[in-house]
Amino acid sequence: MSVRPHMACVCIPTINAANMLDEALSSLTNQKYDGDLEIWVIDSNSSDHTSEVCKKYDVTHILDYSQTRADAANYGIELISQKYGDDNVIIFFTDDDAILPKDWIQSHIKWYERDDVSSVGGQNWAPKDDPWSSRCADVVIGAKYITAGTRYGSVIKGELIQIDHNPGVNVSYRLSALQEIGGFTTGSIGAEDVELDYKLRKNGHKLWFDPKISVAHRRRNISGFYKQMKNYGKVRWIIGSRYPELKTKYHALIAKFPTIVI
């Protein structure tokens, strides 16, 4: 069992989403966590008032010119590594459209007292004030037949369950584990968290899911969600081609998602 205190670093890749980021940071800066906590916003050269929002909450604002979430996240990992090395740092990832519960950090970090934990994830659902279409998106995202078995929103009995993958909106990792595998795949255009988790498991790391940790995640409008799922089907097919062992019977269904919607 580890006894050293943990440094929690939250990394949020963003671009032109200042209003949603404001809501996310508001929830993060009111965490019930007494340990060391830093919040890093990796801004892919936004043209809106993202920098002002970061100043409002006194969080670290990093200007980056990456064009993908994977590359922006890697930049955050690199900078955090330069500052702290791998000295018992737990790095959290979430999205600029997420709203985190007050015990989010603590709920994750308590599990890292176990030496067999390299990553922890949880659920994500649309907030209550989202439109009706978001409930429809929840049904899709919570269905393993659409997300190729990904555990989005899955509820399982027990406190901590070993799994293959956690969604990137509600996940934490040992920084040392991310350094070991070189972070996300450079230039990945989607499902970068799926590939990252696969590389971790391939290197012998164990990933865990706590169904009690749930975040509110604002869904895109109907047209935006349609494009999101279409792209998800495409990138999951690409990953399956690169790693045949990740390909399942569900991938063909995802790739045909636009037709299914129609």
Side-chain angles (χ1 to χ4, degrees), residues 63-101:
L63 186 61
D64 178 45
Y65 292 90
S66 298
Q67 296 301 307
T68 68
R69 187 182 190 276
D71 291 347
N74 276 341
Y75 191 47
I77 294 171
E78 177 186 348
L79 294 177
I80 292 170
S81 297
Q82 289 175 0
K83 183 173 182 179
Y84 294 110
D86 62 352
D87 188 23
N88 217 37
V89 176
I90 307 302
I91 185 167
F92 292 70
F93 288 103
T94 190
D95 294 345
D96 51 26
D97 56 357
I99 306 168
L100 297 313

Side-chain angles (χ1 to χ4, degrees), residues 199-216:
K199 292 193 295 183
L200 284 167
R201 289 189 292 107
K202 194 173 181 179
N203 272 43
H205 293 281
K206 293 181 180 180
L207 316 180
W208 302 86
F209 174 85
D210 183 344
K212 294 180 181 179
I213 306 175
S214 183
V215 305

